[in-house]
Every structure is written in structure tokens, then in C-alpha cells.
Amino acid sequence: MTTPKLSMRAVCKAFGTNTVLDGIDLDVAPGEVITLIGASGSGKSTLLRCCNLLEPIDDGAILFDGDDISEPGLEADPIRRRIGMVFQSFNLFPHMSITKNVAIGPRKVLGVDKATANATAAELLTRLGLADRADAYPDQLSGGQQQRVAIARSLAMGPEVMLLDEITSALDPELVGEVLDVIRGLKADGMTMLFATHEMTFAREISDRVCFLHKGRILEQGPPEQIFGDPQEQRTREFLQRVIDSGRL
């Protein structure tokens, strides 16, 4: 049996008296794309941040290739080099060109020489349709272009897993498609992804499995055709009905 790329075992996380994750169990197989859906505050973003070691968990364990990466005191940086994360906000360096934004991680963190890092950046920018913007600065790009640069910057580190946190939520509707096209390409390349999203139509298309989170728990999970077509839990049905009523599915 293949070892899961990423595993969560009874993961709990609270902020003060507010329990945000309440016993999460989830295995992500190599090459699998899992989307996390649910209302705001259901724990999706916190779960991703815990997987990237940006938040310590209070109980349980997170395993990466079978190794516990959630132990207190573990050096986080080597793990983060292997687990890429892209956020809602682009977080680009405004004083650097797009090429430098993408190349700086491999140069500073991995010790890659300038020529190699720039060549990798050029390759990624070409792949993501941004070759003609290589010398531009972030404020000269649209939101969709900036988010594609943020994805390129994460990919430049050669991650084995990508965590994507509502990466289209800050974009104008007409810019969402170009970012989602990038995710389709990553799936085609076999990238393992855990993806929190409000884009339900896209989740239905891209996912191998969909997890519905409610009050910090995975209330229901399954293939997209089952979750969207025949949800078993009342809470899932209510959530999806609200999504349908809002025109997002």
C-alpha cells in the first residue's frame, strides 16, 4: 500500500477558547487533488496553515511521507521547502521584478546560483503565460497575473505538495479563469494538492476527492460527483443549497 504523501491524525487546534480544528483525520495520496469546501470559519485555512507548519497543532499528528512533522521544536524550514503554499494575498516583493520575485527563494534558501535560478524563473513564467512580464514589477500586473507569479514563486522551490488557500478569492471574476488554468496544469503534471476554495464548479471538475468541513470537522468526504450530486449529510446539503442560491454552482 502506498504511503500517503500527507496525513492528518486527530489534528486539533484552538485559538483561546475557540476550537478551530476538532479531530481532523485525512490522508492525501501522492498525486491526489483534494479540495476543502465549507463556510468561512469552518477551519479550511487553519488546516492548510498547520500542514505548512505556520501554526502549531495542539493535539494529534501531521505526517509527511510517513514522518511526523508536527513534533514541537522540529525545524520547519526544511519541511516548508518541500510543501509549497499559496495564499489569498499575493505577498510579492514590490521593489523586485517578477523574475527576481520568483528566483529569490531558490537563491536565498536553496543556495542556487543566480543564472540557474533566473533560468528556472524564466521557464516557470513561460509555462504560466507570463514570459512577456518577466521584467515588470508587481504593481504593473493585474491581480490574476500577480497570483500566477505567486504560484510560480512557490513552484520554483520544487515542492512535492502544494497547499492553495482560496487563491482566487481576491480576484475580479474575469481573472479567476487564468489562475484556475494553472491549477489544471499542475494536476496534469501529477502535483499533489490540497486546495481550499469557494469555486465549487472548479472543485467539482478538478478534485479527486472533496472534503466538506463544518465547525472544524470533516463532516463528509468523497468523490466530487457524490458530494455535489448526492450529499449524505444535512449540513452538506444546506451548504450546497446556499451555494446554488448564490449562483456559484
Side-chain angles (χ1 to χ4, degrees):
M1 184 176 177
T2 304
T3 300
K5 195 68 183 170
L6 195 62
S7 291
M8 285 133 265
R9 294 282 179 266
V11 170
C12 296
K13 175 68 180 178
F15 294 103
T17 58
N18 181 28
T19 299
V20 183
L21 300 176
D22 189 10
I24 295 286
D25 287 299
L26 181 64
D27 287 339
V28 186
E32 189 174 23
V33 177
I34 295 180
T35 53
L36 309 175
I37 66 171
S40 296
S42 60
K44 304 185 300 296
S45 293
T46 299
L47 180 57
L48 295 179
R49 291 177 64 84
C50 288
C51 288
N52 195 242
L53 308 185
L54 292 171
E55 294 285 355
I57 62 174
D58 298 328
D59 202 2
I62 298 174
L63 309 179
F64 185 46
D65 281 339
D67 297 323
D68 188 351
I69 61 171
S70 55
E71 295 179 353
L74 186 76
E75 177 60 43
D77 285 345
I79 304 300
R80 292 200 191 111
R81 292 170 197 166
R82 300 171 62 197
I83 302 177
M85 186 159 182
V86 183
F87 302 87
Q88 299 177 39
S89 53
F90 319 127
N91 299 320
L92 301 179
F93 295 111
H95 62 290
M96 291 185 182
S97 70
I98 298 312
T99 295
K100 287 183 178 179
N101 263 282
V102 176
I104 189 171
R107 289 188 64 194
K108 298 293 187 182
V109 179
L110 304 180
V112 174
D113 65 85
K114 182 178 179 179
T116 302
N118 284 348
T120 299
E123 179 183 322
L124 285 166
L125 292 174
T126 298
R127 178 176 158 195
L128 272 59
L130 292 164
D132 62 332
R133 310 299 285 158
D135 297 324
Y137 286 80
D139 64 0
Q140 297 172 308
L141 272 57
S142 70
Q145 289 172 327
Q146 289 187 61
Q147 190 60 288
R148 280 185 280 158
V149 174
I151 294 170
R153 181 180 57 187
S154 187
L155 291 174
M157 299 294 288
E160 299 165 42
V161 175
M162 287 285 279
L163 309 174
L164 306 160
D165 186 16
E166 303 284 7
I167 60 171
T168 59
S169 65
L171 301 178
D172 293 331
E174 66 269 20
L175 302 177
V176 168
E178 64 190 56
V179 174
L180 297 184
D181 281 343
V182 172
I183 307 307
R184 290 185 183 96
L186 293 179
K187 178 181 173 70
D189 291 341
M191 177 64 75
T192 307
M193 290 186 279
L194 194 56
F195 186 21
T197 186
H198 287 301
E199 300 288 340
M200 297 300 149
T201 302
F202 185 68
R204 189 170 195 162
E205 170 204 334
I206 198 81
S207 307
D208 296 306
R209 191 155 32 115
V210 176
C211 297
F212 172 66
L213 273 68
H214 179 69
K215 293 185 177 178
R217 296 182 178 183
I218 297 177
L219 200 61
E220 185 169 1
Q221 61 176 298
E225 57 270 20
Q226 185 260 303
I227 296 296
F228 291 108
D230 186 27
Q232 302 301 298
E233 295 286 337
Q234 178 64 26
R235 291 287 188 186
T236 315
R237 291 194 291 270
E238 291 171 354
F239 171 75
L240 291 174
Q241 188 58 53
R242 287 197 300 273
V243 172
I244 291 167
D245 291 345
S246 69
R248 289 188 288 128
L249 183 61

